Amino acid sequence: MMSRFLMIVSLCAMFLGMGCESHKEKKEKNSRYLVTSPLRKDTLVTNQYVAQIQSIRNIEVRAQERGYLEDIFVDEGQSVKKGQLMFKIMPKIYKAELQRAKAEAHFAQIEYENTKQLADSNVVAPNELAMAKAKFEKAKAEQSLAQVHLEFTDIRAPFDGIVDRLHLKLGSLVEEGELLTSLSDNSDMWVYYNVPEAEYLDYQQAVHEDDTTKVELLMANNQVYKHDGYVQTIEGEFNNETGNIAFRASFPNPEGLLRHGETGSVLTQVPFNNSLLIPQKATFEVLSKHYVYVVNEDHKIESREISLAGELPHIYAISDGISEDDTILLEGLRKVREGDEIEYDFEDPQEVLNHLELYAE
């Protein structure tokens, strides 16, 4: 009796499950999907390139003489003016050498003047006068050299800039050529970014010799720098490993916001005339290839590979694979499979793109 009861319960559960499954399948068949078509329109595509930001002048400040670091007149991060005294290396030895050179030059001058008087009186030969003059000239040159060595103990800023890290402390023994700090001229900044070969060729063919191409800088905080930059030059060779070539853009830096060594992204806008546009959400990827679901005349789903010509926020520009006459699935891509027959509602492509905040002409 008990086994008969359990059998009846099992049969009821099975029929109930089949009924639920049938209801679910019916519900899925009755669901409607949203579709649209590609839109042909003139627009601007923004290309983004990883960039390195450098000062127009960034140099290492090094000691030109050996000695003890007697004074430091600047601090890290300080702005300095051209000719401003930054460091002083103990000058006593070089002052003594200058005094000796002056004395030797004075002695040689007296000797030359005496010899000249004798030569004028035909007491000594002209060769002896020439020897005295050469000795005097040599002594003056050694005096000038000693003066230069003494001046090298005062290390001054070669241009207006910002001081980097100080590598030595006060009183340190400084060797000739030792690094003291770095100095950056941040009045303008050079921004380097790498461009693929195909885009380089498009750029060269589109830009005339006297044209200046405007670019923008996206900083690391995801904010666009408020000053525009301009492409100034292109390096002479491609990188054989990456197939890229480096562009250099110049940006003004009046507020001093940008510093040497920063990173960011260069944004360039490329006009796409009569471009075919679709929402990015209407696509899916398989093995790095892009596809859309096209709905045919029988309301059946077909996957189709597409080629991308450019990318905007939330939108792709398409170069091949579909046309503006095609109907593509806009939502529910994960709910359908190849060959499924669906019911759908069509949404105007312009309205679809307006909701995606398209920037277009």
Side-chain angles (χ1 to χ4, degrees), residues 121-172:
S121 301
N122 294 322
V123 175
V124 298
N127 287 342
E128 190 171 346
L129 176 62
M131 290 287 293
K133 183 179 180 181
K135 187 177 180 180
F136 177 41
E137 294 294 337
K138 180 183 178 182
K140 287 197 298 182
E142 290 178 350
Q143 178 183 336
S144 298
L145 182 61
Q147 180 69 46
V148 170
H149 281 294
L150 178 61
E151 291 174 356
F152 280 167
T153 62
D154 288 342
I155 300 173
R156 299 180 181 274
F159 51 78
D160 295 354
I162 298 177
V163 179
D164 193 31
R165 178 178 299 178
L166 301 177
H167 292 275
L168 294 177
K169 304 300 181 183
L170 194 65
S172 301

Side-chain angles (χ1 to χ4, degrees), residues 56-73:
I56 57 170
R57 286 185 290 184
N58 176 263
I59 65 166
E60 294 178 339
V61 180
R62 295 181 177 271
Q64 293 179 285
E65 297 293 345
R66 186 177 187 276
Y68 287 98
L69 192 56
E70 186 176 88
D71 281 302
I72 300 176
F73 300 98

Side-chain angles (χ1 to χ4, degrees), residues 20-79:
C20 292
E21 188 69 26
S22 176
H23 178 71
K24 182 178 180 182
E25 289 178 2
K26 184 177 180 181
K27 182 179 179 181
E28 287 183 355
K29 287 181 180 179
N30 290 337
S31 61
R32 299 181 68 84
Y33 293 87
L34 194 62
V35 300
T36 189
S37 293
L39 178 66
R40 195 166 290 281
K41 192 167 188 176
D42 293 343
T43 187
L44 292 174
V45 173
T46 299
N47 292 332
Q48 185 169 328
Y49 308 93
V50 176
Q52 291 286 336
I53 303 172
Q54 297 184 11
S55 306
I56 57 170
R57 286 185 290 184
N58 176 263
I59 65 166
E60 294 178 339
V61 180
R62 295 181 177 271
Q64 293 179 285
E65 297 293 345
R66 186 177 187 276
Y68 287 98
L69 192 56
E70 186 176 88
D71 281 302
I72 300 176
F73 300 98
V74 294
D75 199 0
E76 297 173 343
Q78 179 181 336
S79 296

